Amino acid sequence: VIFLLTAALCVGGWWSMRHLPLDAIPDLSDTQVIIYSRWDRSPDLIEDQVTYPIVSAMLGAPKVKAVRGFSDFGSSFVYVLFDEGTDIYWARSRVLEYLSGVLPGLPQGVQTELGPDATGLGWIFQYVLVDTTNTRSLADLRAVQDWYLRYHLKAVPGLAEVAPVGGFGKQYQVLVDPNRLQAYGLGINRVVEAVRGGNLETGGRLIEFGSTEYMVRGRGYATSVADFENILLATGTDGTPIRVRDIGTVALGPDLRRGVADLDGQGEVVSGIVVMRQGQNALEVIDRVKERLRQIEPGLPEGVQVLPVYDRSTLILRAIATLKTTLVEVMVTIVIIGLLATVVVINVLPSQDRAMVGKARADISTLEQAVETYRLDNLTFPTDGQGLQALTDAPADLAQPERYREGGY
């Protein structure tokens, strides 16, 4: 039975060692869910009409110990912190449940979403896109990141998000000339509505011809600058159409940026941050990311390379090596101490057995004599007649004190 239990413990220890999540940085953060809202308004309006209603609703969620709200220009962040040990996905479900009652009351145009199911220590890998041919702009590299790399990497098990940094997001921009707009008697709202309505597709019902059904579809997506320029705004008094190109120009330009990435001081680059899900094995997730990058590298445009700039697996492996070295040193120290103790027991103690036994006997004899002396010193001899009679009737050893003096007392 003992051997079976020992074998079971060994197998369990080996399995635990193989499946133990490895990381060099302990994650002691609380279970939290981030609610992010976007609205192009000032911080005071966002605080009153977005952040405050969400914070008030989250205070009543179960197992919530703190709710923190932050309002900035155009954005709102609400951090919902749960009790220790709360499952992250249970917490996200509760947040969505309570958030569903708040969304209908938010102003029109507010876009609210949950943050990734990760913690502050989920940043495990980062890479940059470099064009060795120097023929592609930052916007082109950002397009490769957003429409190629990001989708491949998000399919890797254990990843919560692939966040882009740097570069430019492409967008169509309508540059309105206020003088022309005033000349045609149009407002800026009309331009916004026309551009929004001119970039939509519609669908109708079916039309049957000769026992064959045809689907009615209105194709209206704008795919080029010319498509936006030809969007109709209004009709003049003489029936002449007024288009977007008549009140301004349309260009393909960059979106507003909230971050810049630089590599070794040589200029801007496009980067991607790989964020791991909470509770995953960092070392295994990093290995999967590297393997996926090797698989998709042949599909990158000519001259574009993916270079790692941050890899936590190096720190994890060095921490494991340090732990192994320390364990070996401790084990060797324990073995040496055990061997030295064995040598002392074998070689030193046998030669001192007699001396120790003799010393122990002498100590015991001395203790016995001290007890007997204490007993004699506490005897009293009365002077009356009864006392003399008691002394006469005493045992022979007490009536003859010479015997004790002869024995050394």
Side-chain angles (χ1 to χ4, degrees):
V1 176
I2 296 177
F3 287 107
L4 291 177
L5 292 176
T6 304
L9 291 175
C10 293
V11 172
W14 177 84
W15 185 88
S16 301
M17 183 180 63
R18 298 291 298 178
H19 295 81
L20 181 67
L22 298 177
D23 201 342
I25 306 175
D27 191 354
L28 304 178
S29 59
D30 298 320
T31 300
Q32 70 172 3
V33 180
I34 303 175
I35 305 174
Y36 173 57
S37 302
R38 290 183 300 241
W39 194 35
D40 295 331
R41 297 295 187 274
S42 59
D44 57 342
L45 290 178
I46 292 179
E47 175 70 22
D48 296 337
Q49 302 186 28
V50 179
T51 304
Y52 179 77
I54 295 177
V55 170
S56 302
M58 292 300 113
L59 288 174
K63 296 186 178 182
V64 172
K65 66 177 183 180
V67 181
R68 302 167 184 167
F70 301 91
S71 301
D72 200 353
F73 180 81
S75 61
S76 167
F77 293 91
V78 176
Y79 297 85
V80 185
L81 278 71
F82 289 81
D83 294 336
E84 185 177 357
T86 305
D87 181 69
I88 178 64
Y89 297 104
W90 184 90
R92 293 172 69 87
S93 300
R94 299 288 76 76
V95 169
L96 286 175
E97 177 183 345
Y98 281 77
L99 191 61
S100 61
V102 182
L103 293 180
L106 297 181
Q108 184 179 2
V110 177
Q111 301 178 4
T112 303
E113 59 182 336
L114 295 185
D117 50 345
T119 64
L121 297 177
W123 185 345
I124 60 173
F125 191 81
Q126 185 175 357
Y127 60 87
V128 295
L129 291 174
V130 178
D131 181 22
T132 58
T133 61
N134 296 325
T135 58
R136 293 176 176 82
S137 63
L138 292 175
D140 296 333
L141 295 177
R142 178 64 179 267
V144 174
Q145 159 65 26
D146 291 342
W147 303 105
Y148 183 73
L149 277 177
R150 184 164 63 98
Y151 293 118
H152 283 283
L153 292 179
K154 289 190 70 174
V156 174
L159 289 190
E161 184 183 10
V162 180
V165 180
F168 298 93
K170 292 183 180 180
Q171 64 175 196
Y172 290 100
Q173 299 176 350
V174 179
L175 308 178
V176 179
D177 187 349
N179 296 325
R180 297 189 200 177
L181 202 63
Q182 184 179 9
Y184 285 109
L186 300 175
I188 190 65
N189 291 333
R190 175 56 192 157
V191 178
V192 174
E193 295 175 358
V195 172
R196 184 182 291 114
N199 190 30
L200 294 175
E201 287 199 2
T202 58
R205 300 188 64 181
L206 301 176
I207 299 178
E208 183 178 354
F209 289 104
S211 301
T212 303
E213 292 183 343
Y214 295 90
M215 293 179 293
V216 179
R217 178 184 177 187
R219 303 177 64 88
Y221 279 137
T223 58
S224 63
V225 174
D227 292 341
F228 282 98
E229 290 177 343
N230 292 325
I231 292 177
L232 182 65
L233 297 178
T235 304
T237 55
D238 55 353
T240 303
I242 302 175
R243 308 178 188 276
V244 173
R245 63 187 179 191
D246 297 327
I247 54 92
T249 59
V250 180
L252 190 63
D255 193 2
L256 295 176
R257 298 200 296 172
R258 288 294 180 268
V260 178
D262 180 90
L263 180 63
D264 297 334
Q266 298 180 0
E268 293 188 32
V269 293
V270 176
S271 177
I273 299 175
V274 178
V275 182
M276 177 187 67
R277 284 195 178 98
Q278 183 176 356
Q280 296 293 319
N281 192 328
L283 194 59
E284 293 182 356
V285 174
I286 294 174
D287 292 338
R288 296 192 201 112
V289 171
K290 293 179 180 179
E291 179 62 25
R292 184 58 58 89
L293 288 176
R294 285 191 292 267
Q295 293 175 0
I296 65 179
E297 188 175 3
L300 294 174
E302 184 180 358
V304 177
Q305 297 180 354
V306 179
L307 302 179
V309 294
Y310 173 69
D311 185 357
R312 192 187 291 179
S313 62
T314 304
L315 179 61
I316 296 174
L317 294 176
R318 291 177 61 183
I320 294 174
T322 302
L323 178 61
K324 289 180 179 178
T325 303
T326 304
L327 289 177
V328 171
E329 292 175 353
V330 171
M331 293 174 63
V332 172
T333 304
I334 293 175
V335 171
I336 293 175
I337 294 175
L339 293 176
L340 292 176
T342 304
V343 171
V344 171
V345 170
I346 294 175
N347 297 329
V348 178
L349 291 183
S351 62
Q352 297 181 354
D353 284 347
R354 293 183 178 180
M356 293 178 65
V357 171
K359 186 177 182 299
R361 290 178 178 177
D363 293 340
I364 294 174
S365 178
T366 304
L367 182 61
E368 291 177 350
Q369 294 176 5
V371 172
E372 189 68 17
T373 302
Y374 176 81
R375 189 172 66 86
L376 292 176
D377 291 341
N378 285 275
L379 288 176
T380 59
F381 299 92
T383 58
D384 56 1
Q386 294 179 354
L388 294 174
Q389 182 65 30
L391 181 61
T392 306
D393 296 337
D397 55 348
L398 293 179
Q400 299 178 4
E402 296 84 3
R403 180 179 177 182
Y404 291 94
R405 286 194 289 270
E406 292 175 357
Y409 286 88

